[in-house]
């Protein structure tokens, strides 16, 4: 009984995609933030050095004998030396007039405010960072402004930035990979709880409606508790209906027995053939009803015991022998003999009442559907699993129906004139299933039916 | 008429071209497909063995080797950078500035130690200390000065011998002389005292190391200050008469450098030559070498070795240069 459940999407995929997507976005964000920060910091570093250099140049300026003197300090250029051999350009201006250095720098930055200004531009085809700084000199009779324009290429800077970018990319990727692995793990751990619950639901026997006791994560609590309450209600309604059936069967059986004895007595007294015929049909119907009531009662009992299966050690051989002895008188009435073939003992842990009931139903069938004056063979064996097999020499199961005979109230076409309810094989099957076994029906090649109850 | 003028101009130009070089030599002119032109401050005798070795390995390349002074190299090359393929000079500062100004070609794939190159464009291939070279005969019976201080004392003690017989670079003309002088001035005050002593003794000024050593050999002068020891060593006839002294107080060591012009018409051949030059000069056991080898400076003792760094541009600043020259003239020239 496998129902196709309508599903849409996967919780696992959704979780994994959300987590990995989030990790990717975060990793990218990390990369860009680190990059932009390091661009700022590296640029700041270069600017600071340029400022220091320009300041040292400005500091070297002095007015002597009313002419300007600027004794370029050695340190001004030595501090601009970089690993990547960056080029430097500079210009010294007095009141906007070029004094020395690189004349093509003049006009690159026209600002002559007192605070140093920085900008990025191109000089001689190379990308450079330019600082422009100035200082006012006051001599005896004049004031003059000295301006320094200093430019440095950015090879070292971009080298450093490349390095940082590469490291940030590695780090970002590592973070992403780690988070991905983590999200896979977290997802399967979370989904795993659901899987566990599913497994313990499917592992249960068909009659097992006990509530789940094992602790589950908090979030799954409501699901399990509603599952439990659903099963509780189901269990209750099932046992109510079984109780009801058993009660009903019991109540029907007693009056039926009374009716049956009256009918028997009446049949003795009736002479007219047509009335006798009617009485016989009546008796058959009564037999059928009381058989059905008996079987229903048995079935209800079996369902109950299977739910609360109590296993005890039993010897299947002894159990079967008991049964055979009890049934022998009935068999002899039909000139039938029951032959038991078995080992000394087959020890099995199970419910003796259930197993006896099942085997009785099988022998009962063999006697009902087998021919008179024949032998019913009963085998009890230990291998491959503890089992009881009942075989007769009758016509066998009707071909084509063999699959469906174990379902409830299902009777074969060969059972027309034979009293029965269609529950015998169902009882046997339920007993087998309750013990974790199964029932197997087959027709022998030389004729006759064989039923194996394996436990 | 106009054609005549043009013709005249061409003739005049080529005349000027050949006249104005200190030396000019062609190598392997016969069957060469590509011609590279080297402008250099290194004397042809010193450089020729290296070029010969190169053209014998590369018969497809011919070389025109042009020699002039370091300051002149700077002027000529700036005026027409496309006319030359390789620039070789001992004036590190001028070479450095040319590179900084973007005249040098970036040579990817040339492996050279970081301290001996700048921007993968300017490559050093010799280490040459500035030396005091003296005529032995003039110091017979007197202690030979081992440092600048000792030289000052020696000059002061015998002014009659040295008057008019001391030589040094005219730093206004020679790029290398200016480099040595500025580095000396930066390293120690002794330099200025020495200059004053020399100025008082009527110093002779020279454009080039070669001429100074000529006059020293001839006996016209007795002491040459800040001259390239390699030039003196290269003269077999002067080996007995001259003594090369590396001042023990602080030696000034220059790196001879080369670069390929950015506007070179034969960059591939020029690069080949440069690689040959570098590998020959870095190889300690090479026997074709006629120039001093490149010696790892980082293992050196003193700090006064000139490094390939932006600081080289400091003394090239016009204001700074004018100030330095004024001081130098003030110390050296009294008239
Ligand atoms: N030994 C047998 N030989 C032939 N047919 C059989 C045999 N045993 C069972 N059957 C067929 O299987 C059907 C189902 O058997 P089952 O025992 O479940 O019901 P029943 O015997 O008809 O009724 P009851 O509940 O009284 O046993 C029978 O109606 C019969 O057709
Ligand atoms: Mg039956």
């Amino acid at each position: 009984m496998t129902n196709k459940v309508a599903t849409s999407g996967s919780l696992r995929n959704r979780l994994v995609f959300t987590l990995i997507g989030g990790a990717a976005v975060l990793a990218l964000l990390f990369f860009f933030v680190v990059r932009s920060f390091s661009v700022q910091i590296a640029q700041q570093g270069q600017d600071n050095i340029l400022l220091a250099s320009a300041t040292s140049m400005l500091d070297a300026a002095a007015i002597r004998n009313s002419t300007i003197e600027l004794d370029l300090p050695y340190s001004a250029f030595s501090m601009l030396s970089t690993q990547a051999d960056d080029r430097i350009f500079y210009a010294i201006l007095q009141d906007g007039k070029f004094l020395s250095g690189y004349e093509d720098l003049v006009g690159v930055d026209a600002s002559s405010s007192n605070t140093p200004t920085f900008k990025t531009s191109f000089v001689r085809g190379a990308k450079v960072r330019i600082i422009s700084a100035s200082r006012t000199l006051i001599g005896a009779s004049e004031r003059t402004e000295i301006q320094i324009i200093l430019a440095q290429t950015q090879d070292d800077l971009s080298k450093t930035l490349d390095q940082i970018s590469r490291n940030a990319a590695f780090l970002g990727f590592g973070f992403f990979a780690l988070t991905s692995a983590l999200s896979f793990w977290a997802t399967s751990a979370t989904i795993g709880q659901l899987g566990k619950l599913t497994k313990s639901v499917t592992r249960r026997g068909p009659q097992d409606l006990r509530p789940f006791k094992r602790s589950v994560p908090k979030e799954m609590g409501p699901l399990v508790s509603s599952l439990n309450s659903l099963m509780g209600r189901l269990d209750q309604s099932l046992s109510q209906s079984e109780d009801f059936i058993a009660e009903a069967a019991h109540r029907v059986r007693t009056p039926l027995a009374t009716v049956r004895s009256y009918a028997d007595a009446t049949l003795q007294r009736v002479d007219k053939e047509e009335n006798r015929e009617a009485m016989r049909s009546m008796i058959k119907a009564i037999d059928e009803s009381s058989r059905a009531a008996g079987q229903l009662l048995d079935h209800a009992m079996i369902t109950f015991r299977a739910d609360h299966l109590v296993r005890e050690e039993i010897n299947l051989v002894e159990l079967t022998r008991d049964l055979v002895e009890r049934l022998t008188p009935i068999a002899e009435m039909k000139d039938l003999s029951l032959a038991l073939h078995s080992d000394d003992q087959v020890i099995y842990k199970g419910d003796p009442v259930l197993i006896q009931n099942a085997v009785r139903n099988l022998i009962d069938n063999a006697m009902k559907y087998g021919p008179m004056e024949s032998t019913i063979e009963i085998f009890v064996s230990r291998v491959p699993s503890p089992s009881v097999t009942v075989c007769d020499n009758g016509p066998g199961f009707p071909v084509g129906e063999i699959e469906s005979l174990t379902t409830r109230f299902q009777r074969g076409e060969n059972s027309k004139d034979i009293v029965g309810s269609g529950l015998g094989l169902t009882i046997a099957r339920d007993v087998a299933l309750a013990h974790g076994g199964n029932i197997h029906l087959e027709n022998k090649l030389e004729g006759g039916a064989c039923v194996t109850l394996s436990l | 008429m106009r054609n005549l003028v043009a013709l005249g101009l061409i003739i005049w130009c080529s005349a000027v071209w050949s006249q104005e070089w200190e030396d000019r030599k062609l190598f392997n002119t016969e069957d060469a497909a590509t011609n590279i032109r080297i402008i250099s401050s290194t004397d042809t005798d010193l450089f020729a063995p290296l070029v010969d070795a190169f053209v014998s390995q590369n018969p497809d390349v011919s070389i025109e080797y042009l020699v002039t002074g370091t300051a002149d190299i700077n002027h000529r090359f700036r005026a027409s950078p496309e006319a030359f393929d390789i620039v070789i000079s001992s004036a590190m500062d001028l070479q450095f500035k040319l590179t900084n100004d973007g005249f040098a070609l970036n040579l990817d794939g040339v492996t050279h130690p970081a301290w001996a190159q700048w921007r993968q464009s300017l490559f050093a291939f010799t280490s040459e200390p500035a030396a005091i070279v003296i005529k032995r005969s003039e110091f017979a019976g007197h202690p030979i000065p081992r440092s600048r201080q000792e030289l000052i004392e020696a000059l002061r003690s015998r002014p009659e011998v040295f008057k008019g017989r001391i030589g040094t670079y005219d730093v206004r003309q020679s790029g290398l002389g200016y480099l040595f002088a500025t580095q000396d001035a930066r390293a120690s005050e002794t330099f200025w005292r020495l200059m004053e002593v020399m100025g008082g003794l009527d110093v002779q000024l020279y454009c080039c190391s070669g001429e100074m050593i000529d006059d020293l050999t001839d006996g016209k002068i007795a002491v040459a200050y800040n001259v390239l020891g390699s030039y003196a060593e290269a003269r077999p006839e002067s080996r007995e008469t001259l003594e090369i002294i590396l001042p023990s107080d602080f030696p000034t060591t220059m790196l001879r450098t080369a670069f390929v012009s950015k506007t070179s018409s034969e960059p591939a051949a020029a690069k080949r030559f440069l690689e040959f030059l570098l590998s020959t000069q870095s190889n300690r056991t090479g026997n074709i070498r006629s120039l001093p080898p490149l010696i790892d400076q980082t293992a050196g003792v003193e700090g006064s070795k000139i490094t390939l760094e932006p600081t080289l541009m400091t003394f090239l600043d016009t204001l700074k240069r004018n100030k330095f020259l004024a001081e130098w003239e003030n110390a050296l020239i009294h008239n």
Side-chain angles (χ1 to χ4, degrees):
Chain A
M1 214 185 67
T2 47
N3 262 347
K4 197 98 181 122
V5 179
T7 56
S8 72
S10 150
L11 215 58
R12 174 196 296 270
N13 290 354
R14 215 176 297 168
L15 256 176
V16 166
F17 282 133
T18 320
L19 288 175
I20 290 184
V25 169
L26 280 181
L28 276 178
L29 205 74
F30 167 81
F31 174 75
F32 284 115
V33 166
V34 166
R35 224 198 104 89
S36 81
F37 262 128
S38 46
V39 166
Q40 261 177 41
I41 290 168
Q43 191 58 77
Q44 188 83 56
Q46 192 185 23
D47 287 356
N48 286 343
I49 295 174
L50 281 171
L51 178 63
S53 176
T55 310
S56 77
M57 285 159 91
L58 282 176
D59 283 347
I63 297 180
R64 249 177 228 129
N65 306 330
S66 57
T67 53
I68 202 84
E69 246 180 37
L70 200 152
D71 190 12
L72 208 59
Y74 214 67
S75 61
F77 288 160
S78 81
M79 68 176 89
L80 291 177
S81 175
T82 62
Q83 204 71 45
D85 295 342
D86 274 304
R87 296 160 71 184
I88 45 184
F89 309 104
Y90 71 98
I92 304 172
L93 287 80
Q94 179 181 12
D95 296 323
K97 205 170 96 277
F98 174 75
L99 282 187
S100 84
Y102 287 77
E103 197 151 13
D104 40 349
L105 275 186
V106 179
V108 166
D109 198 310
S111 92
S112 57
S113 65
N114 262 332
T115 49
T117 54
F118 294 93
K119 72 174 201 178
T120 306
S121 177
F122 283 86
V123 170
R124 297 184 180 218
K127 193 175 173 212
V128 293
R129 185 71 173 169
I130 303 179
I131 181 180
S132 164
S134 55
R135 179 182 162 206
T136 310
L137 293 178
I138 299 161
S141 55
E142 71 276 89
R143 2 174 1 113
T144 181
E145 184 168 274
I146 293 289
Q147 189 193 359
I148 300 281
I149 302 172
L150 181 62
Q152 184 183 33
T153 54
Q154 301 198 294
D155 298 357
D156 201 52
L157 187 100
S158 52
K159 226 175 171 179
T160 314
L161 283 183
D162 280 356
Q163 188 111 33
I164 293 175
S165 296
R166 215 170 310 131
N167 286 349
F170 274 132
L171 227 73
F173 184 77
F175 169 76
F176 172 71
L178 211 77
T179 326
S180 300
L182 216 69
S183 62
F184 269 115
W185 176 79
T187 307
S188 49
T190 312
I191 302 288
Q193 291 291 340
L194 277 177
K196 254 191 228 159
L197 181 67
T198 313
K199 217 188 252 166
S200 68
V201 171
T202 38
R203 228 189 356 233
R204 288 191 161 201
Q207 253 74 42
D208 190 352
L209 290 174
R210 282 170 301 145
F212 289 95
K213 295 255 170 55
R214 191 116 55 75
S215 72
V216 291
K218 204 169 83 190
E219 290 75 9
M220 277 163 62
L223 172 65
V224 171
S225 80
S226 53
L227 204 64
N228 279 348
S229 85
L230 178 71
M231 286 198 301
R233 272 178 281 145
L234 203 64
D235 193 25
Q236 206 181 1
S237 69
L238 266 183
S239 59
Q240 261 175 9
S241 62
E242 264 158 23
D243 286 354
F244 180 77
I245 291 166
E247 178 81 18
H250 185 70
R251 279 178 188 272
V252 167
R253 224 153 54 141
T254 326
L256 273 181
T258 318
V259 173
R260 164 80 202 239
S261 67
Y262 281 119
D264 261 346
T266 314
L267 184 60
Q268 304 300 317
R269 274 181 272 130
V270 175
D271 292 325
K272 225 174 171 183
E273 192 48 41
E274 50 192 89
N275 290 347
R276 288 183 69 88
E277 191 55 36
M279 280 314 288
R280 266 192 226 106
S281 310
M282 208 167 110
I283 288 171
K284 186 172 181 245
I286 293 166
D287 280 351
E288 220 133 81
S289 304
S290 88
R291 172 71 180 170
Q295 288 289 73
L296 273 173
L297 207 57
D298 276 4
H299 187 257
M301 182 267 290
I302 274 159
T303 309
F304 176 78
R305 287 189 81 110
D307 272 357
H308 312 88
L309 191 65
V310 182
R311 288 178 185 258
E312 58 188 76
E313 206 159 274
I314 44 173
N315 183 356
L316 286 182
V317 180
E318 209 171 290
L319 181 143
T320 314
R321 191 174 299 126
D322 263 10
L323 202 60
V324 168
E325 272 165 23
R326 259 193 283 144
L327 290 176
T328 303
I330 307 169
E332 277 171 356
M333 288 198 326
K334 293 184 162 186
D335 293 327
L336 280 167
S337 60
L338 303 174
L340 174 63
H341 312 274
S342 71
D343 303 334
D344 272 1
Q345 53 177 19
V346 176
I347 304 296
Y348 177 72
K349 272 193 158 182
D351 185 336
V353 178
L354 293 186
I355 296 173
Q356 213 164 40
N357 205 311
V359 177
R360 202 197 43 237
N361 265 293
L362 298 186
I363 300 176
D364 189 53
N365 276 356
M367 294 195 299
K368 268 203 292 190
Y369 302 105
M372 309 263 252
E373 295 176 32
S374 66
T375 307
I376 296 167
E377 318 267 0
I378 303 162
F379 307 89
V380 181
S381 58
R382 191 184 297 128
V383 280
S385 57
S387 63
V388 181
T389 305
V390 179
C391 294
D392 61 48
N393 297 308
F397 298 105
V399 190
E401 285 182 295
I402 209 161
E403 299 293 316
S404 58
L405 292 177
T406 51
T407 48
R408 258 189 243 179
F409 302 114
Q410 193 70 42
R411 306 196 69 198
E413 58 177 11
N414 59 340
S415 61
K416 286 230 173 72
D417 298 324
I418 300 166
V419 175
S421 63
L423 279 173
L425 287 179
T426 310
I427 289 169
R429 184 200 64 187
D430 287 355
V431 168
L433 289 180
H435 286 85
N438 214 334
I439 193 167
H440 182 68
L441 277 60
E442 69 180 343
N443 286 327
K444 289 191 289 183
L445 279 178
E446 64 271 22
C450 264
V451 185
T452 305
L453 183 81
S454 52
L455 299 166
Chain B
M1 183 63 198
R2 203 190 293 161
N3 283 352
L4 261 177
V5 169
L7 195 73
L9 244 162
I10 290 170
I11 291 168
W12 182 79
C13 277
S14 55
V16 163
W17 180 262
S18 54
Q19 267 172 19
E20 290 207 340
W21 298 104
E22 273 175 30
D23 198 3
R24 175 169 177 267
K25 190 167 178 190
L26 295 172
F27 296 82
N28 190 35
T29 39
E30 267 122 63
D31 42 22
T34 50
N35 173 55
I36 55 179
R37 187 178 280 157
I38 301 176
I39 183 169
S40 168
S41 68
T42 309
D43 284 357
T44 317
D45 331 342
L46 279 166
F47 211 71
L50 217 136
V51 183
D52 282 329
F54 176 75
V55 291
S56 71
Q57 280 178 32
N58 299 269
D60 57 318
V61 181
S62 73
I63 288 177
E64 185 179 359
Y65 190 73
L66 302 161
V67 181
T68 187
T70 46
D72 195 41
I73 288 176
N74 189 40
H75 290 139
R76 290 208 196 204
F77 181 72
R78 275 180 194 275
S80 53
E82 67 289 339
F84 307 96
D85 299 300
I86 294 180
V87 182
I88 293 174
S89 168
S90 51
M92 290 168 79
D93 48 356
L94 295 175
Q95 293 280 84
F96 186 92
K97 189 149 193 298
L98 283 172
T99 311
N100 188 62
D101 293 0
F103 286 104
L105 184 67
N106 195 312
L107 297 182
D108 280 330
V110 176
T111 47
H112 207 52
W115 62 266
Q117 53 113 330
W118 199 66
R119 289 189 69 78
Q120 197 66 28
S121 306
L122 182 64
F123 299 91
F125 64 93
T126 66
S127 311
E128 297 175 53
I132 303 167
V133 182
I134 58 168
K135 188 134 178 102
R136 280 221 181 88
S137 54
E138 304 291 346
F139 281 83
H142 296 277
I144 285 176
R146 292 289 156 201
S147 68
R148 290 178 182 77
Q149 190 56 46
E150 285 175 27
L151 180 62
I152 290 173
E153 280 153 22
L155 295 181
R156 274 189 184 150
S157 64
R158 293 187 293 150
E160 69 289 350
V161 179
F162 296 113
K163 179 114 185 131
R165 295 187 66 211
I166 309 167
T168 192
Y169 273 116
D170 184 348
V171 301
R172 295 164 298 188
Q173 280 183 44
S174 161
L176 177 61
Y178 184 71
L179 176 67
F180 278 155
T182 51
Q183 294 296 323
D184 276 4
R186 204 174 79 76
S188 163
E189 270 303 309
T190 322
F191 171 76
W192 288 118
R193 278 195 281 126
L194 180 61
M195 286 301 114
E196 265 157 26
V197 172
M198 283 172 145
L201 290 172
D202 199 5
V203 72
Q204 305 293 309
L205 298 177
Y206 292 85
C207 75
C208 331
S209 274
E211 283 175 25
M212 238 187 293
I213 287 168
D214 283 345
D215 281 3
L216 203 59
T217 323
D218 295 349
K220 277 191 196 146
I221 54 171
V223 176
Y225 177 70
N226 261 359
V227 71
L228 282 177
S230 48
Y231 279 64
E233 264 170 24
R235 306 257 177 110
E237 74 273 15
S238 57
R239 233 164 249 165
E240 284 91 51
T241 56
L242 301 185
E243 167 113 20
I244 300 164
I245 302 157
L246 302 182
S248 59
D249 45 356
F250 59 95
T252 309
T253 302
M254 162 278 279
L255 305 174
R256 205 176 283 269
T257 55
F259 67 84
V260 174
S261 168
K262 197 167 210 165
T263 48
S264 163
S265 49
E266 299 289 352
K271 183 181 175 189
R272 244 196 297 159
F273 180 81
L274 203 91
E275 279 174 324
F276 177 81
L277 174 66
L278 296 182
S279 73
T280 312
Q281 287 297 114
S282 308
N283 190 354
R284 284 180 167 260
T285 53
N287 49 0
I288 38 167
R289 195 176 52 229
S290 46
L291 288 161
L294 183 66
I295 297 165
D296 192 347
Q297 289 205 337
T298 51
V301 238
E302 310 293 323
S304 65
K305 289 171 176 173
I306 311 171
T307 49
L308 280 175
E309 267 182 35
T311 44
L312 281 173
M313 297 196 342
T314 311
F315 280 96
L316 294 182
D317 177 67
T318 320
L319 298 175
K320 184 111 178 160
R321 184 178 159 88
N322 291 343
K323 185 166 181 280
F324 183 83
L325 288 183
E327 274 174 50
W328 181 84
E329 281 173 350
N330 198 30
L332 223 56
I333 301 162
H334 303 277
N335 41 20

